[in-house]
Amino acid sequence: MISTYNKRKRRLICLLSLVSIALLGCSAKYFSRSEKDSGSAALDTLYTIEYLLAQRDENEDPELYLYRHSATQGLIIDFYSKVTGDMAVTLPILTYAEKNNITLSLAFSLAWVESRYKNRAVNRNADSIDRGLFQLNSKTFPVLEEGDFYNPEINASHGLAHLRFCLNEGKSEIVALAMYNAGTYGVIRGTPYSTLKYVAQVIEYKENLEEKFQREVLRADRVVTLSGVAGDS
């Protein structure tokens, strides 16, 4: 004969088993739904990007255009914060590139070649010093105090305003970059080889950055996969 204690014990074990099975079932449904929701959200993001880019002027930088829209601004911030590894560097570049209507990939490429995104970067010349994110020259920016050069907000503000001046004067990215590096008169007199090499570095980094953006943010190749995920819901 089975004792009352053993009956209760068996009943408890059965109940615990049923509860465990029920919880596992709920978990499976939850995770399945989460994956589908995630896929749908990603697909919605791609549709949003596609819709916005279809509205832009063909001459407008797609990255800058997406940054200016609240629905996609976070994507741009996230992408470039991963590129620089420092949000304190990323945000000022985005802010002043947008303010000066400068292609984002160009702005970040210039900062990389100038300082490797390092706020404390210093280069000593014969009669001047280049400092900070955009390597502002002490003779070109005499009104700035030493601490200002190392402030990413101030440095990006002056650096990208100066790049905009070079773009306006030079009428092309190539000439503008040469002017930024060698100065207007340096380009007029004959662009030195070191400047030509400098321009090539910026352009190469810019092209790689744009390819990376195409792969990681636009991700057109993922639309079919995501459509399948959404269709299963």
Side-chain angles (χ1 to χ4, degrees), residues 45 48 52 66 69-75:
T45 299
T48 300
L52 289 175
L66 293 175
H69 284 267
S70 58
T72 49
Q73 187 177 88
L75 292 173

Side-chain angles (χ1 to χ4, degrees), residues 72-125:
T72 49
Q73 187 177 88
L75 292 173
I76 306 302
I77 294 173
D78 181 63
F79 174 77
Y80 277 108
S81 65
K82 290 176 182 175
V83 168
T84 67
D86 188 345
M87 191 66 80
V89 165
T90 302
L91 293 179
I93 296 177
L94 287 172
T95 297
Y96 293 102
E98 193 275 333
K99 181 178 180 180
N100 290 284
N101 200 36
I102 294 172
T103 302
L104 297 186
S105 57
L106 177 62
F108 280 89
S109 297
L110 178 62
W112 183 82
V113 171
E114 287 288 351
S115 68
R116 298 300 192 268
Y117 303 131
K118 295 178 181 177
N119 292 322
R120 304 294 300 182
V122 176
N123 180 54
R124 299 184 185 280
N125 308 302

Side-chain angles (χ1 to χ4, degrees), residues 180-224:
Y180 191 96
N181 180 253
T184 303
Y185 295 109
V187 174
I188 292 174
R189 287 195 302 267
T191 307
Y193 174 74
S194 60
T195 295
L196 296 177
K197 186 177 178 181
Y198 166 90
V199 171
Q201 287 180 324
V202 177
I203 296 302
E204 181 181 17
Y205 188 88
K206 178 176 180 285
E207 289 174 351
N208 290 335
L209 203 52
E210 289 171 349
E211 289 177 5
K212 182 179 176 68
F213 182 83
Q214 182 74 29
R215 286 195 314 271
E216 297 183 11
V217 179
L218 300 186
R219 298 177 298 177
D221 58 306
R222 293 190 60 196
V223 173
V224 175

